[in-house]
PDB file of all heavy atoms in Angstrom:
ATOM      1  N   SER A   1       0.833  -1.192   0.000  1.00 92.00           N
ATOM      2  CA  SER A   1       0.000   0.000   0.000  1.00 92.00           C
ATOM      3  C   SER A   1       0.867   1.240   0.000  1.00 92.00           C
ATOM      4  O   SER A   1       1.953   1.249   0.580  1.00 92.00           O
ATOM      5  CB  SER A   1      -0.926   0.022   1.223  1.00 92.00           C
ATOM      6  OG  SER A   1      -1.826  -1.067   1.205  1.00 92.00           O
ATOM      7  N   MET A   2       0.377   2.261  -0.648  1.00 94.00           N
ATOM      8  CA  MET A   2       1.049   3.542  -0.630  1.00 94.00           C
ATOM      9  C   MET A   2       0.051   4.628  -0.267  1.00 94.00           C
ATOM     10  O   MET A   2      -1.145   4.508  -0.548  1.00 94.00           O
ATOM     11  CB  MET A   2       1.707   3.851  -1.976  1.00 94.00           C
ATOM     12  CG  MET A   2       2.798   2.855  -2.338  1.00 94.00           C
ATOM     13  SD  MET A   2       3.793   3.357  -3.753  1.00 94.00           S
ATOM     14  CE  MET A   2       4.727   4.722  -3.025  1.00 94.00           C
ATOM     15  N   ALA A   3       0.555   5.660   0.350  1.00 97.00           N
ATOM     16  CA  ALA A   3      -0.310   6.729   0.815  1.00 97.00           C
ATOM     17  C   ALA A   3       0.382   8.069   0.684  1.00 97.00           C
ATOM     18  O   ALA A   3       1.612   8.158   0.659  1.00 97.00           O
ATOM     19  CB  ALA A   3      -0.724   6.496   2.271  1.00 97.00           C
ATOM     20  N   TRP A   4      -0.441   9.088   0.596  1.00 98.00           N
ATOM     21  CA  TRP A   4       0.018  10.459   0.679  1.00 98.00           C
ATOM     22  C   TRP A   4      -0.411  11.034   2.024  1.00 98.00           C
ATOM     23  O   TRP A   4      -1.584  10.941   2.401  1.00 98.00           O
ATOM     24  CB  TRP A   4      -0.543  11.318  -0.449  1.00 98.00           C
ATOM     25  CG  TRP A   4       0.085  11.044  -1.778  1.00 98.00           C
ATOM     26  CD1 TRP A   4      -0.389  10.232  -2.758  1.00 98.00           C
ATOM     27  CD2 TRP A   4       1.303  11.611  -2.267  1.00 98.00           C
ATOM     28  NE1 TRP A   4       0.462  10.249  -3.842  1.00 98.00           N
ATOM     29  CE2 TRP A   4       1.505  11.078  -3.565  1.00 98.00           C
ATOM     30  CE3 TRP A   4       2.239  12.502  -1.746  1.00 98.00           C
ATOM     31  CZ2 TRP A   4       2.615  11.422  -4.345  1.00 98.00           C
ATOM     32  CZ3 TRP A   4       3.337  12.833  -2.519  1.00 98.00           C
ATOM     33  CH2 TRP A   4       3.517  12.302  -3.800  1.00 98.00           C
ATOM     34  N   PHE A   5       0.550  11.604   2.720  1.00 98.00           N
ATOM     35  CA  PHE A   5       0.314  12.318   3.962  1.00 98.00           C
ATOM     36  C   PHE A   5       0.538  13.802   3.730  1.00 98.00           C
ATOM     37  O   PHE A   5       1.226  14.201   2.787  1.00 98.00           O
ATOM     38  CB  PHE A   5       1.276  11.854   5.061  1.00 98.00           C
ATOM     39  CG  PHE A   5       1.039  10.467   5.577  1.00 98.00           C
ATOM     40  CD1 PHE A   5       1.355   9.351   4.819  1.00 98.00           C
ATOM     41  CD2 PHE A   5       0.516  10.275   6.847  1.00 98.00           C
ATOM     42  CE1 PHE A   5       1.157   8.071   5.304  1.00 98.00           C
ATOM     43  CE2 PHE A   5       0.316   9.003   7.350  1.00 98.00           C
ATOM     44  CZ  PHE A   5       0.632   7.903   6.577  1.00 98.00           C
ATOM     45  N   ARG A   6      -0.006  14.608   4.608  1.00 98.00           N
ATOM     46  CA  ARG A   6       0.344  16.015   4.594  1.00 98.00           C
ATOM     47  C   ARG A   6       0.452  16.537   6.020  1.00 98.00           C
ATOM     48  O   ARG A   6      -0.199  16.033   6.933  1.00 98.00           O
ATOM     49  CB  ARG A   6      -0.649  16.851   3.786  1.00 98.00           C
ATOM     50  CG  ARG A   6      -2.040  16.998   4.392  1.00 98.00           C
ATOM     51  CD  ARG A   6      -2.916  17.790   3.430  1.00 98.00           C
ATOM     52  NE  ARG A   6      -4.254  17.999   3.941  1.00 98.00           N
ATOM     53  CZ  ARG A   6      -5.228  18.549   3.241  1.00 98.00           C
ATOM     54  NH1 ARG A   6      -5.017  18.954   1.987  1.00 98.00           N
ATOM     55  NH2 ARG A   6      -6.430  18.710   3.788  1.00 98.00           N
ATOM     56  N   GLN A   7       1.290  17.538   6.186  1.00 98.00           N
ATOM     57  CA  GLN A   7       1.522  18.144   7.482  1.00 98.00           C
ATOM     58  C   GLN A   7       1.492  19.657   7.325  1.00 98.00           C
ATOM     59  O   GLN A   7       2.480  20.262   6.898  1.00 98.00           O
ATOM     60  CB  GLN A   7       2.854  17.687   8.073  1.00 98.00           C
ATOM     61  CG  GLN A   7       3.087  18.168   9.492  1.00 98.00           C
ATOM     62  CD  GLN A   7       4.287  17.496  10.139  1.00 98.00           C
ATOM     63  OE1 GLN A   7       5.196  17.039   9.448  1.00 98.00           O
ATOM     64  NE2 GLN A   7       4.281  17.422  11.450  1.00 98.00           N
ATOM     65  N   PRO A   8       0.359  20.272   7.661  1.00 97.00           N
ATOM     66  CA  PRO A   8       0.299  21.735   7.644  1.00 97.00           C
ATOM     67  C   PRO A   8       1.199  22.325   8.720  1.00 97.00           C
ATOM     68  O   PRO A   8       1.552  21.645   9.690  1.00 97.00           O
ATOM     69  CB  PRO A   8      -1.181  22.034   7.928  1.00 97.00           C
ATOM     70  CG  PRO A   8      -1.899  20.749   7.654  1.00 97.00           C
ATOM     71  CD  PRO A   8      -0.928  19.671   8.008  1.00 97.00           C
ATOM     72  N   PRO A   9       1.564  23.587   8.589  1.00 93.00           N
ATOM     73  CA  PRO A   9       2.402  24.217   9.618  1.00 93.00           C
ATOM     74  C   PRO A   9       1.761  24.132  10.994  1.00 93.00           C
ATOM     75  O   PRO A   9       0.591  24.487  11.166  1.00 93.00           O
ATOM     76  CB  PRO A   9       2.509  25.665   9.146  1.00 93.00           C
ATOM     77  CG  PRO A   9       2.275  25.606   7.670  1.00 93.00           C
ATOM     78  CD  PRO A   9       1.279  24.506   7.479  1.00 93.00           C
ATOM     79  N   GLY A  10       2.506  23.642  11.967  1.00 95.00           N
ATOM     80  CA  GLY A  10       2.024  23.549  13.330  1.00 95.00           C
ATOM     81  C   GLY A  10       1.031  22.439  13.592  1.00 95.00           C
ATOM     82  O   GLY A  10       0.495  22.364  14.708  1.00 95.00           O
ATOM     83  N   LYS A  11       0.764  21.594  12.611  1.00 97.00           N
ATOM     84  CA  LYS A  11      -0.205  20.519  12.758  1.00 97.00           C
ATOM     85  C   LYS A  11       0.479  19.160  12.647  1.00 97.00           C
ATOM     86  O   LYS A  11       1.623  19.051  12.224  1.00 97.00           O
ATOM     87  CB  LYS A  11      -1.303  20.631  11.698  1.00 97.00           C
ATOM     88  CG  LYS A  11      -2.028  21.957  11.678  1.00 97.00           C
ATOM     89  CD  LYS A  11      -2.869  22.164  12.920  1.00 97.00           C
ATOM     90  CE  LYS A  11      -3.666  23.451  12.824  1.00 97.00           C
ATOM     91  NZ  LYS A  11      -4.494  23.672  14.036  1.00 97.00           N
ATOM     92  N   GLU A  12      -0.260  18.115  13.023  1.00 96.00           N
ATOM     93  CA  GLU A  12       0.255  16.756  12.922  1.00 96.00           C
ATOM     94  C   GLU A  12       0.096  16.221  11.513  1.00 96.00           C
ATOM     95  O   GLU A  12      -0.793  16.622  10.762  1.00 96.00           O
ATOM     96  CB  GLU A  12      -0.464  15.837  13.909  1.00 96.00           C
ATOM     97  CG  GLU A  12      -0.204  16.167  15.364  1.00 96.00           C
ATOM     98  CD  GLU A  12      -0.840  15.164  16.305  1.00 96.00           C
ATOM     99  OE1 GLU A  12      -1.595  14.288  15.827  1.00 96.00           O
ATOM    100  OE2 GLU A  12      -0.584  15.255  17.515  1.00 96.00           O
ATOM    101  N   ARG A  13       0.971  15.295  11.164  1.00 97.00           N
ATOM    102  CA  ARG A  13       0.899  14.639   9.878  1.00 97.00           C
ATOM    103  C   ARG A  13      -0.295  13.689   9.842  1.00 97.00           C
ATOM    104  O   ARG A  13      -0.554  12.967  10.808  1.00 97.00           O
ATOM    105  CB  ARG A  13       2.202  13.876   9.629  1.00 97.00           C
ATOM    106  CG  ARG A  13       2.278  13.130   8.318  1.00 97.00           C
ATOM    107  CD  ARG A  13       3.541  12.274   8.274  1.00 97.00           C
ATOM    108  NE  ARG A  13       4.750  13.091   8.270  1.00 97.00           N
ATOM    109  CZ  ARG A  13       5.981  12.599   8.383  1.00 97.00           C
ATOM    110  NH1 ARG A  13       6.163  11.292   8.523  1.00 97.00           N
ATOM    111  NH2 ARG A  13       7.023  13.414   8.368  1.00 97.00           N
ATOM    112  N   ASP A  14      -1.017  13.679   8.724  1.00 97.00           N
ATOM    113  CA  ASP A  14      -2.165  12.800   8.611  1.00 97.00           C
ATOM    114  C   ASP A  14      -2.344  12.359   7.165  1.00 97.00           C
ATOM    115  O   ASP A  14      -1.873  13.012   6.231  1.00 97.00           O
ATOM    116  CB  ASP A  14      -3.433  13.484   9.114  1.00 97.00           C
ATOM    117  CG  ASP A  14      -4.518  12.494   9.528  1.00 97.00           C
ATOM    118  OD1 ASP A  14      -4.274  11.269   9.492  1.00 97.00           O
ATOM    119  OD2 ASP A  14      -5.626  12.941   9.884  1.00 97.00           O
ATOM    120  N   VAL A  15      -3.047  11.249   6.990  1.00 97.00           N
ATOM    121  CA  VAL A  15      -3.277  10.669   5.673  1.00 97.00           C
ATOM    122  C   VAL A  15      -4.298  11.479   4.901  1.00 97.00           C
ATOM    123  O   VAL A  15      -5.346  11.850   5.439  1.00 97.00           O
ATOM    124  CB  VAL A  15      -3.766   9.215   5.797  1.00 97.00           C
ATOM    125  CG1 VAL A  15      -4.112   8.646   4.426  1.00 97.00           C
ATOM    126  CG2 VAL A  15      -2.725   8.351   6.487  1.00 97.00           C
ATOM    127  N   VAL A  16      -4.018  11.743   3.637  1.00 98.00           N
ATOM    128  CA  VAL A  16      -5.002  12.353   2.763  1.00 98.00           C
ATOM    129  C   VAL A  16      -5.513  11.388   1.705  1.00 98.00           C
ATOM    130  O   VAL A  16      -6.649  11.537   1.245  1.00 98.00           O
ATOM    131  CB  VAL A  16      -4.476  13.639   2.091  1.00 98.00           C
ATOM    132  CG1 VAL A  16      -4.205  14.704   3.142  1.00 98.00           C
ATOM    133  CG2 VAL A  16      -3.213  13.368   1.277  1.00 98.00           C
ATOM    134  N   ALA A  17      -4.711  10.409   1.309  1.00 98.00           N
ATOM    135  CA  ALA A  17      -5.129   9.461   0.292  1.00 98.00           C
ATOM    136  C   ALA A  17      -4.281   8.213   0.380  1.00 98.00           C
ATOM    137  O   ALA A  17      -3.104   8.281   0.729  1.00 98.00           O
ATOM    138  CB  ALA A  17      -5.018  10.061  -1.113  1.00 98.00           C
ATOM    139  N   GLY A  18      -4.876   7.074   0.058  1.00 97.00           N
ATOM    140  CA  GLY A  18      -4.152   5.818   0.042  1.00 97.00           C
ATOM    141  C   GLY A  18      -4.589   4.962  -1.126  1.00 97.00           C
ATOM    142  O   GLY A  18      -5.712   5.091  -1.621  1.00 97.00           O
ATOM    143  N   ILE A  19      -3.692   4.087  -1.563  1.00 96.00           N
ATOM    144  CA  ILE A  19      -3.993   3.178  -2.661  1.00 96.00           C
ATOM    145  C   ILE A  19      -3.357   1.828  -2.385  1.00 96.00           C
ATOM    146  O   ILE A  19      -2.225   1.749  -1.904  1.00 96.00           O
ATOM    147  CB  ILE A  19      -3.523   3.753  -4.015  1.00 96.00           C
ATOM    148  CG1 ILE A  19      -3.966   2.854  -5.172  1.00 96.00           C
ATOM    149  CG2 ILE A  19      -2.010   3.963  -4.036  1.00 96.00           C
ATOM    150  CD1 ILE A  19      -3.799   3.512  -6.538  1.00 96.00           C
ATOM    151  N   ASN A  20      -4.103   0.771  -2.680  1.00 93.00           N
ATOM    152  CA  ASN A  20      -3.564  -0.575  -2.637  1.00 93.00           C
ATOM    153  C   ASN A  20      -2.951  -0.872  -3.994  1.00 93.00           C
ATOM    154  O   ASN A  20      -3.637  -0.826  -5.020  1.00 93.00           O
ATOM    155  CB  ASN A  20      -4.670  -1.577  -2.303  1.00 93.00           C
ATOM    156  CG  ASN A  20      -4.163  -2.995  -2.172  1.00 93.00           C
ATOM    157  OD1 ASN A  20      -3.784  -3.626  -3.157  1.00 93.00           O
ATOM    158  ND2 ASN A  20      -4.157  -3.505  -0.946  1.00 93.00           N
ATOM    159  N   TRP A  21      -1.655  -1.162  -4.008  1.00 87.00           N
ATOM    160  CA  TRP A  21      -0.950  -1.340  -5.270  1.00 87.00           C
ATOM    161  C   TRP A  21      -1.502  -2.496  -6.084  1.00 87.00           C
ATOM    162  O   TRP A  21      -1.567  -2.423  -7.310  1.00 87.00           O
ATOM    163  CB  TRP A  21       0.547  -1.530  -5.014  1.00 87.00           C
ATOM    164  CG  TRP A  21       1.357  -1.354  -6.249  1.00 87.00           C
ATOM    165  CD1 TRP A  21       1.768  -2.318  -7.108  1.00 87.00           C
ATOM    166  CD2 TRP A  21       1.846  -0.115  -6.768  1.00 87.00           C
ATOM    167  NE1 TRP A  21       2.478  -1.772  -8.144  1.00 87.00           N
ATOM    168  CE2 TRP A  21       2.552  -0.416  -7.957  1.00 87.00           C
ATOM    169  CE3 TRP A  21       1.758   1.215  -6.344  1.00 87.00           C
ATOM    170  CZ2 TRP A  21       3.154   0.576  -8.729  1.00 87.00           C
ATOM    171  CZ3 TRP A  21       2.363   2.197  -7.107  1.00 87.00           C
ATOM    172  CH2 TRP A  21       3.052   1.865  -8.283  1.00 87.00           C
ATOM    173  N   SER A  22      -1.891  -3.562  -5.411  1.00 85.00           N
ATOM    174  CA  SER A  22      -2.359  -4.753  -6.100  1.00 85.00           C
ATOM    175  C   SER A  22      -3.770  -4.589  -6.651  1.00 85.00           C
ATOM    176  O   SER A  22      -4.020  -4.865  -7.825  1.00 85.00           O
ATOM    177  CB  SER A  22      -2.297  -5.953  -5.152  1.00 85.00           C
ATOM    178  OG  SER A  22      -2.788  -7.121  -5.780  1.00 85.00           O
ATOM    179  N   SER A  23      -4.696  -4.156  -5.808  1.00 88.00           N
ATOM    180  CA  SER A  23      -6.102  -4.081  -6.194  1.00 88.00           C
ATOM    181  C   SER A  23      -6.484  -2.761  -6.834  1.00 88.00           C
ATOM    182  O   SER A  23      -7.469  -2.686  -7.563  1.00 88.00           O
ATOM    183  CB  SER A  23      -6.994  -4.319  -4.979  1.00 88.00           C
ATOM    184  OG  SER A  23      -6.913  -3.235  -4.079  1.00 88.00           O
ATOM    185  N   GLY A  24      -5.735  -1.701  -6.552  1.00 90.00           N
ATOM    186  CA  GLY A  24      -6.084  -0.378  -7.029  1.00 90.00           C
ATOM    187  C   GLY A  24      -7.125   0.331  -6.186  1.00 90.00           C
ATOM    188  O   GLY A  24      -7.524   1.451  -6.535  1.00 90.00           O
ATOM    189  N   ILE A  25      -7.576  -0.284  -5.100  1.00 92.00           N
ATOM    190  CA  ILE A  25      -8.562   0.334  -4.236  1.00 92.00           C
ATOM    191  C   ILE A  25      -7.983   1.586  -3.596  1.00 92.00           C
ATOM    192  O   ILE A  25      -6.858   1.572  -3.100  1.00 92.00           O
ATOM    193  CB  ILE A  25      -9.037  -0.654  -3.152  1.00 92.00           C
ATOM    194  CG1 ILE A  25      -9.802  -1.812  -3.791  1.00 92.00           C
ATOM    195  CG2 ILE A  25      -9.907   0.051  -2.120  1.00 92.00           C
ATOM    196  CD1 ILE A  25     -10.168  -2.909  -2.815  1.00 92.00           C
ATOM    197  N   THR A  26      -8.755   2.652  -3.624  1.00 96.00           N
ATOM    198  CA  THR A  26      -8.322   3.932  -3.081  1.00 96.00           C
ATOM    199  C   THR A  26      -9.290   4.420  -2.017  1.00 96.00           C
ATOM    200  O   THR A  26     -10.454   4.023  -1.983  1.00 96.00           O
ATOM    201  CB  THR A  26      -8.216   4.999  -4.174  1.00 96.00           C
ATOM    202  OG1 THR A  26      -9.510   5.202  -4.774  1.00 96.00           O
ATOM    203  CG2 THR A  26      -7.233   4.576  -5.256  1.00 96.00           C
ATOM    204  N   ASP A  27      -8.805   5.287  -1.166  1.00 97.00           N
ATOM    205  CA  ASP A  27      -9.660   5.970  -0.215  1.00 97.00           C
ATOM    206  C   ASP A  27      -9.014   7.294   0.146  1.00 97.00           C
ATOM    207  O   ASP A  27      -7.806   7.478  -0.031  1.00 97.00           O
ATOM    208  CB  ASP A  27      -9.917   5.123   1.031  1.00 97.00           C
ATOM    209  CG  ASP A  27     -11.248   5.444   1.699  1.00 97.00           C
ATOM    210  OD1 ASP A  27     -11.973   6.336   1.214  1.00 97.00           O
ATOM    211  OD2 ASP A  27     -11.568   4.790   2.707  1.00 97.00           O
ATOM    212  N   TYR A  28      -9.840   8.205   0.663  1.00 98.00           N
ATOM    213  CA  TYR A  28      -9.409   9.577   0.873  1.00 98.00           C
ATOM    214  C   TYR A  28      -9.930  10.134   2.188  1.00 98.00           C
ATOM    215  O   TYR A  28     -10.962   9.703   2.706  1.00 98.00           O
ATOM    216  CB  TYR A  28      -9.937  10.474  -0.255  1.00 98.00           C
ATOM    217  CG  TYR A  28      -9.507  10.049  -1.632  1.00 98.00           C
ATOM    218  CD1 TYR A  28     -10.251   9.119  -2.355  1.00 98.00           C
ATOM    219  CD2 TYR A  28      -8.363  10.576  -2.215  1.00 98.00           C
ATOM    220  CE1 TYR A  28      -9.859   8.731  -3.626  1.00 98.00           C
ATOM    221  CE2 TYR A  28      -7.967  10.195  -3.472  1.00 98.00           C
ATOM    222  CZ  TYR A  28      -8.718   9.272  -4.176  1.00 98.00           C
ATOM    223  OH  TYR A  28      -8.328   8.890  -5.436  1.00 98.00           O
ATOM    224  N   ALA A  29      -9.207  11.123   2.693  1.00 98.00           N
ATOM    225  CA  ALA A  29      -9.738  11.913   3.778  1.00 98.00           C
ATOM    226  C   ALA A  29     -10.950  12.691   3.281  1.00 98.00           C
ATOM    227  O   ALA A  29     -11.014  13.087   2.112  1.00 98.00           O
ATOM    228  CB  ALA A  29      -8.671  12.877   4.308  1.00 98.00           C
ATOM    229  N   GLU A  30     -11.914  12.903   4.171  1.00 97.00           N
ATOM    230  CA  GLU A  30     -13.139  13.592   3.782  1.00 97.00           C
ATOM    231  C   GLU A  30     -12.860  14.980   3.213  1.00 97.00           C
ATOM    232  O   GLU A  30     -13.573  15.429   2.311  1.00 97.00           O
ATOM    233  CB  GLU A  30     -14.084  13.705   4.981  1.00 97.00           C
ATOM    234  CG  GLU A  30     -14.696  12.385   5.421  1.00 97.00           C
ATOM    235  CD  GLU A  30     -15.650  11.813   4.391  1.00 97.00           C
ATOM    236  OE1 GLU A  30     -16.262  12.598   3.630  1.00 97.00           O
ATOM    237  OE2 GLU A  30     -15.800  10.580   4.343  1.00 97.00           O
ATOM    238  N   SER A  31     -11.835  15.633   3.697  1.00 97.00           N
ATOM    239  CA  SER A  31     -11.554  16.994   3.283  1.00 97.00           C
ATOM    240  C   SER A  31     -11.092  17.115   1.835  1.00 97.00           C
ATOM    241  O   SER A  31     -11.126  18.207   1.270  1.00 97.00           O
ATOM    242  CB  SER A  31     -10.500  17.616   4.209  1.00 97.00           C
ATOM    243  OG  SER A  31      -9.292  16.882   4.165  1.00 97.00           O
ATOM    244  N   VAL A  32     -10.665  16.009   1.227  1.00 98.00           N
ATOM    245  CA  VAL A  32     -10.145  16.077  -0.139  1.00 98.00           C
ATOM    246  C   VAL A  32     -10.962  15.270  -1.133  1.00 98.00           C
ATOM    247  O   VAL A  32     -10.668  15.299  -2.338  1.00 98.00           O
ATOM    248  CB  VAL A  32      -8.668  15.627  -0.207  1.00 98.00           C
ATOM    249  CG1 VAL A  32      -7.820  16.411   0.783  1.00 98.00           C
ATOM    250  CG2 VAL A  32      -8.540  14.126   0.028  1.00 98.00           C
ATOM    251  N   LYS A  33     -11.985  14.562  -0.684  1.00 98.00           N
ATOM    252  CA  LYS A  33     -12.804  13.761  -1.590  1.00 98.00           C
ATOM    253  C   LYS A  33     -13.435  14.640  -2.662  1.00 98.00           C
ATOM    254  O   LYS A  33     -13.962  15.709  -2.382  1.00 98.00           O
ATOM    255  CB  LYS A  33     -13.890  13.017  -0.815  1.00 98.00           C
ATOM    256  CG  LYS A  33     -13.387  11.818  -0.041  1.00 98.00           C
ATOM    257  CD  LYS A  33     -14.519  11.062   0.638  1.00 98.00           C
ATOM    258  CE  LYS A  33     -14.011   9.828   1.347  1.00 98.00           C
ATOM    259  NZ  LYS A  33     -15.080   9.094   2.045  1.00 98.00           N
ATOM    260  N   GLY A  34     -13.361  14.167  -3.890  1.00 98.00           N
ATOM    261  CA  GLY A  34     -13.889  14.907  -5.023  1.00 98.00           C
ATOM    262  C   GLY A  34     -12.920  15.896  -5.615  1.00 98.00           C
ATOM    263  O   GLY A  34     -13.177  16.428  -6.702  1.00 98.00           O
ATOM    264  N   ARG A  35     -11.819  16.166  -4.929  1.00 98.00           N
ATOM    265  CA  ARG A  35     -10.817  17.114  -5.418  1.00 98.00           C
ATOM    266  C   ARG A  35      -9.474  16.452  -5.718  1.00 98.00           C
ATOM    267  O   ARG A  35      -8.790  16.852  -6.655  1.00 98.00           O
ATOM    268  CB  ARG A  35     -10.604  18.243  -4.412  1.00 98.00           C
ATOM    269  CG  ARG A  35     -11.851  19.066  -4.127  1.00 98.00           C
ATOM    270  CD  ARG A  35     -11.532  20.292  -3.276  1.00 98.00           C
ATOM    271  NE  ARG A  35     -10.998  19.922  -1.961  1.00 98.00           N
ATOM    272  CZ  ARG A  35      -9.800  20.279  -1.511  1.00 98.00           C
ATOM    273  NH1 ARG A  35      -8.991  21.014  -2.271  1.00 98.00           N
ATOM    274  NH2 ARG A  35      -9.402  19.921  -0.297  1.00 98.00           N
ATOM    275  N   PHE A  36      -9.095  15.473  -4.907  1.00 98.00           N
ATOM    276  CA  PHE A  36      -7.809  14.797  -5.062  1.00 98.00           C
ATOM    277  C   PHE A  36      -8.030  13.399  -5.622  1.00 98.00           C
ATOM    278  O   PHE A  36      -9.029  12.738  -5.304  1.00 98.00           O
ATOM    279  CB  PHE A  36      -7.086  14.665  -3.724  1.00 98.00           C
ATOM    280  CG  PHE A  36      -6.556  15.955  -3.149  1.00 98.00           C
ATOM    281  CD1 PHE A  36      -6.907  17.187  -3.666  1.00 98.00           C
ATOM    282  CD2 PHE A  36      -5.682  15.901  -2.076  1.00 98.00           C
ATOM    283  CE1 PHE A  36      -6.417  18.365  -3.126  1.00 98.00           C
ATOM    284  CE2 PHE A  36      -5.176  17.069  -1.524  1.00 98.00           C
ATOM    285  CZ  PHE A  36      -5.545  18.301  -2.045  1.00 98.00           C
ATOM    286  N   THR A  37      -7.084  12.941  -6.437  1.00 98.00           N
ATOM    287  CA  THR A  37      -7.119  11.596  -6.976  1.00 98.00           C
ATOM    288  C   THR A  37      -5.743  10.964  -6.853  1.00 98.00           C
ATOM    289  O   THR A  37      -4.757  11.527  -7.336  1.00 98.00           O
ATOM    290  CB  THR A  37      -7.547  11.582  -8.452  1.00 98.00           C
ATOM    291  OG1 THR A  37      -8.827  12.205  -8.591  1.00 98.00           O
ATOM    292  CG2 THR A  37      -7.630  10.146  -8.963  1.00 98.00           C
ATOM    293  N   ILE A  38      -5.684   9.807  -6.204  1.00 98.00           N
ATOM    294  CA  ILE A  38      -4.446   9.052  -6.119  1.00 98.00           C
ATOM    295  C   ILE A  38      -4.474   7.966  -7.188  1.00 98.00           C
ATOM    296  O   ILE A  38      -5.511   7.344  -7.426  1.00 98.00           O
ATOM    297  CB  ILE A  38      -4.240   8.454  -4.711  1.00 98.00           C
ATOM    298  CG1 ILE A  38      -2.859   7.797  -4.589  1.00 98.00           C
ATOM    299  CG2 ILE A  38      -5.349   7.480  -4.349  1.00 98.00           C
ATOM    300  CD1 ILE A  38      -2.503   7.382  -3.162  1.00 98.00           C
ATOM    301  N   SER A  39      -3.354   7.755  -7.843  1.00 96.00           N
ATOM    302  CA  SER A  39      -3.276   6.757  -8.895  1.00 96.00           C
ATOM    303  C   SER A  39      -1.874   6.177  -8.948  1.00 96.00           C
ATOM    304  O   SER A  39      -0.946   6.697  -8.325  1.00 96.00           O
ATOM    305  CB  SER A  39      -3.664   7.346 -10.257  1.00 96.00           C
ATOM    306  OG  SER A  39      -2.774   8.384 -10.627  1.00 96.00           O
ATOM    307  N   ARG A  40      -1.738   5.099  -9.694  1.00 92.00           N
ATOM    308  CA  ARG A  40      -0.446   4.433  -9.813  1.00 92.00           C
ATOM    309  C   ARG A  40      -0.129   4.130 -11.269  1.00 92.00           C
ATOM    310  O   ARG A  40      -1.024   3.980 -12.099  1.00 92.00           O
ATOM    311  CB  ARG A  40      -0.429   3.135  -9.001  1.00 92.00           C
ATOM    312  CG  ARG A  40      -1.574   2.181  -9.353  1.00 92.00           C
ATOM    313  CD  ARG A  40      -1.432   0.858  -8.613  1.00 92.00           C
ATOM    314  NE  ARG A  40      -2.682   0.092  -8.581  1.00 92.00           N
ATOM    315  CZ  ARG A  40      -3.086  -0.719  -9.549  1.00 92.00           C
ATOM    316  NH1 ARG A  40      -2.372  -0.850 -10.664  1.00 92.00           N
ATOM    317  NH2 ARG A  40      -4.227  -1.393  -9.416  1.00 92.00           N
ATOM    318  N   ASP A  41       1.153   4.037 -11.564  1.00 91.00           N
ATOM    319  CA  ASP A  41       1.655   3.623 -12.869  1.00 91.00           C
ATOM    320  C   ASP A  41       2.609   2.472 -12.607  1.00 91.00           C
ATOM    321  O   ASP A  41       3.742   2.688 -12.166  1.00 91.00           O
ATOM    322  CB  ASP A  41       2.352   4.770 -13.579  1.00 91.00           C
ATOM    323  CG  ASP A  41       2.758   4.425 -15.001  1.00 91.00           C
ATOM    324  OD1 ASP A  41       3.101   3.257 -15.274  1.00 91.00           O
ATOM    325  OD2 ASP A  41       2.749   5.334 -15.852  1.00 91.00           O
ATOM    326  N   ASN A  42       2.152   1.261 -12.876  1.00 84.00           N
ATOM    327  CA  ASN A  42       2.950   0.082 -12.557  1.00 84.00           C
ATOM    328  C   ASN A  42       4.276   0.061 -13.308  1.00 84.00           C
ATOM    329  O   ASN A  42       5.309  -0.305 -12.750  1.00 84.00           O
ATOM    330  CB  ASN A  42       2.161  -1.189 -12.880  1.00 84.00           C
ATOM    331  CG  ASN A  42       0.980  -1.396 -11.966  1.00 84.00           C
ATOM    332  OD1 ASN A  42       0.435  -0.448 -11.405  1.00 84.00           O
ATOM    333  ND2 ASN A  42       0.573  -2.644 -11.809  1.00 84.00           N
TER     334      ASN A  42
END
């Protein structure tokens, strides 16, 4: 699995998007759904 995290200034690091490399299943933090897309190029 691979994921994107982000850490705003003065805040804790948290997951914004993740993808399962094998299945391609993705999921997102509520704050970025509909705006961010995680993808892979094998």
Side-chain angles (χ1 to χ4, degrees):
S1 297
M2 297 191 71
W4 287 97
F5 290 73
R6 69 183 181 186
Q7 186 170 25
K11 304 292 184 180
E12 294 185 353
R13 180 187 294 172
D14 202 4
V15 175
V16 296
I19 186 168
N20 183 289
W21 195 266
S22 178
S23 70
I25 294 173
T26 61
D27 208 359
Y28 302 87
E30 290 293 331
S31 60
V32 306
K33 284 184 177 178
R35 299 188 298 120
F36 290 11
T37 303
I38 186 171
S39 62
R40 54 175 162 85
D41 186 327
N42 292 26

